[in-house]
Amino acid sequence: MRRVLVTGGAGFVGSSLVHRLVSETDASVDVLDKLTYAASPESLDDLPPDRVRLVVGDVADAALVDSLVADSDAVVHVAAESHNDNSLSDPTPFVQTNLVGTFLLLEAVRRYDVRFHQVSTDEVYGDLALEDPKRFTEDTPFRPSSPYSATKAGADHLVSAWVRSFGVRATISHCSNNYGPWQHVEKFIPRQITEILEGRPARIYGSGEHVRDWIHADDHSSAVLAILERGRVGETYLVGADGEHSNLEVARTILRLMGRDEDQLVHVEDRAGHDRRYAIESGLLRSELGWQPRLKDFEAGLVETIAWYSAHRDWWASDKAATEAAYAATGQ
Ligand code: NAD
Ligand code: TDX
C-alpha cells in the first residue's frame, strides 16, 4: 500500500489507526475528516507532515471523495456520527454521514477498483440478555436498536451488496466498546473520569446493570490493520478483548482508582431503547489472522486513561461544558 485514505482519521479510533499506519507501514496517509464536534486534529500533531495529510471535508461530498479515492491504494472508512444519545435527539446527520457517506465511498472504490475496509460496531447485532451465555459471532443476524446502530447496519449491508454485486474488494469489522486517550467526553468512561475530576458523582443511566465489552482503541486499530493487510476479501471479522463489565462495575472501579468512595454515583434518566448487553466472540480474527489484544488488563488501561484525562484538562474542558449542558436538557 503506497497511499491509504482514512476517513474520520482525526477522531478517537481513526487517530489511533493513523498513528499505527505511520509506525508500522511505509504508506502515506490521507485523512478525510469533516472536523465535527467529535474530532481532535491535535491527536495527529506529532505525526510527520510528509507522511500524513489532513483534508478537511465531508464523506458525503461526492466530488471530493472521488478525487481522493482515485489517488489511493486502500480506503479505511472510520468516519461516522458515533454517539447513540445524539442519534436519539437528531438522527439526521447519522443518515447523511453513515449511510450516504458510505454509499459515495463505495461508488468511488468501485470506479477505481480500490481495496476498502469498513469499520463498524457490534451494535448492529442488537443486544443480548444479561443472563445469556451467548456472544455475538460473524453469523449473528443484524437487529440494530438505535438510529446510530441502524445507520451503521445499513452501511454494512451496502458494503456486502457492493462486494457481491460489483466485486468490490472489501472487508468489514465489528468491534466492541473502545476506551483510551482522545475519546470525546460524551462517552461513558471519559464522562465519568471528568465528572469525578470536576468533583461531581459518576452518572449511571438507569440501573447500571447494562454490560459492555471493553477494548482499548489501540487494540482495535491493530485489528483493523491486520484485516486490511491480511484479511480475506468479502469476510467479516469481529473484534473484542473479552472485557465484559457492567456499567456499575466500571464506574465503581474508576471511583476506587481515583481515590473516591465507590458509592459516589447517581442513577439518572435511562437511555431510550438502551441495549442491555454486548459481547464479542473474536475467534475468527485470532485464528485466521493471528491477532491478539495487547492491552488485556482493563484495570491497568483505566489507570492510564485516568492519568491521561487528568493531564489533558485543556483538551477536554470546553467540550465538557457543552456536553454537560446538552445532557442536562435530557435529565442525564
Ligand atoms: P468519533 O466520533 O470519535 O470520531 C468520528 C470522526 O469522524 C471525527 O473525527 C469526525 O469529525 C469525523 N466525521 C464525522 N462525520 C464526518 C463526515 N461527514 N465526513 C468526514 N468526517 C466525518 O468516533 P469513534 O469513536 O472514533 O468511532 C469511529 C468509528 O469506529 C465509527 O465508524 C464507529 O462506528 C466505529 N466504532 C467505534 C467504537 C467505539 O467504542 N468508539 C466501537 C466500535 C466501532
Ligand atoms: O453518562 C453515561 N452514563 C451511562 O450509564 C453515559 C454517557 C453512558 N452510560 C451507559 C450507556 C451504555 O450502556 O454506558 C454505556 C456506554 O455508553 P456509551 O459510551 O455512550 O457507548 P455505547 O452506547 O455502548 O456505544 C459505544 O460503543 C459502540 C460507541 O459510542 C459507539 O460508537 C460504538 O459503536
Side-chain angles (χ1 to χ4, degrees):
M1 294 178 301
R2 188 183 48 85
R3 183 172 286 276
V4 179
L5 176 64
V6 178
T7 70
F12 167 52
V13 172
S15 61
S16 172
L17 178 67
V18 174
H19 276 88
R20 191 170 290 283
L21 283 163
V22 168
S23 61
E24 295 183 14
T25 77
D26 295 326
S28 295
V29 182
D30 282 344
V31 170
L32 171 59
D33 199 298
K34 193 178 171 184
L35 301 188
T36 69
Y37 78 95
S40 319
E42 312 84 351
S43 61
L44 305 174
D45 280 353
D46 56 340
L47 291 170
D50 59 329
R51 295 279 305 281
V52 178
R53 177 171 70 124
L54 173 61
V55 179
V56 179
D58 194 332
V59 290
D61 176 339
L64 178 61
V65 163
D66 181 275
S67 69
L68 289 169
V69 171
D71 261 354
S72 305
D73 301 304
V75 175
V76 185
H77 181 29
V78 190
E81 284 291 338
S82 69
H83 193 39
N84 275 299
D85 292 322
N86 293 345
S87 80
L88 294 165
S89 49
D90 181 11
T92 313
F94 289 76
V95 172
Q96 186 63 17
T97 290
N98 301 1
L99 281 169
V100 177
T102 305
F103 161 69
L104 293 172
L105 282 158
L106 284 168
E107 285 292 82
V109 295
R110 171 155 88 108
R111 270 194 296 280
Y112 299 106
D113 187 24
V114 171
R115 171 83 169 86
F116 184 80
H117 179 73
Q118 164 84 347
V119 172
S120 189
T121 168
D122 59 359
E123 296 192 18
V124 299
Y125 300 117
D127 63 353
L128 299 159
L130 294 179
E131 61 284 0
D132 190 341
K134 281 204 295 292
R135 303 200 280 178
F136 299 135
T137 72
E138 285 76 9
D139 298 324
T140 305
F142 281 18
R143 197 171 56 88
S145 313
S146 73
Y148 161 69
S149 51
T151 57
K152 291 295 293 185
D156 299 347
H157 280 316
L158 292 178
V159 177
S160 300
W162 262 241
V163 170
R164 176 155 175 167
S165 302
F166 303 125
V168 161
R169 294 179 294 127
T171 42
I172 304 176
S173 55
H174 299 280
C175 188
S176 59
N177 283 62
N178 287 210
Y179 75 99
W182 301 111
Q183 186 168 31
H184 195 276
V185 289
E186 69 192 354
K187 303 293 193 323
F188 180 66
I189 286 178
R191 187 179 188 206
Q192 309 316 333
I193 295 171
T194 52
E195 282 297 274
I196 296 164
L197 286 171
E198 301 271 75
R200 297 191 290 263
R203 298 181 73 80
I204 304 296
Y205 292 177
S207 69
E209 288 166 322
H210 308 79
V211 170
R212 295 294 181 266
D213 188 353
W214 293 99
I215 181 172
H216 197 285
D218 290 344
D219 281 328
H220 184 184
S221 70
S222 75
V224 169
L225 183 56
I227 297 165
L228 185 67
E229 290 184 327
R230 307 192 299 283
R232 270 184 295 135
V233 163
E235 190 57 83
T236 286
Y237 297 90
L238 267 60
V239 185
D242 305 323
E244 279 188 70
H245 298 278
S246 75
N247 294 338
L248 267 179
E249 276 167 19
V250 175
R252 287 189 177 129
T253 304
I254 293 171
L255 283 160
R256 173 169 54 77
L257 294 173
M258 294 180 73
R260 305 297 199 283
D261 285 346
E262 291 187 19
D263 61 0
Q264 290 290 299
L265 49 85
V266 286
H267 293 268
V268 298
E269 188 68 25
D270 206 352
R271 173 182 286 171
H274 198 171
D275 280 340
R276 288 161 297 179
R277 172 171 159 255
Y278 306 138
I280 286 276
E281 162 54 56
S282 56
L284 178 66
L285 176 65
R286 294 176 194 229
S287 61
E288 197 177 292
L289 303 184
W291 174 86
Q292 286 284 338
R294 273 187 296 184
L295 300 148
K296 284 184 234 179
D297 183 339
F298 181 51
E299 193 162 315
L302 284 178
V303 169
E304 274 180 33
T305 305
I306 292 165
W308 192 88
Y309 280 88
S310 304
H312 288 78
R313 195 179 271 272
D314 287 354
W315 174 72
W316 55 259
S318 64
D319 282 344
K320 177 73 180 165
T323 301
E324 291 307 324
Y327 274 131
T330 61
Q332 291 176 317

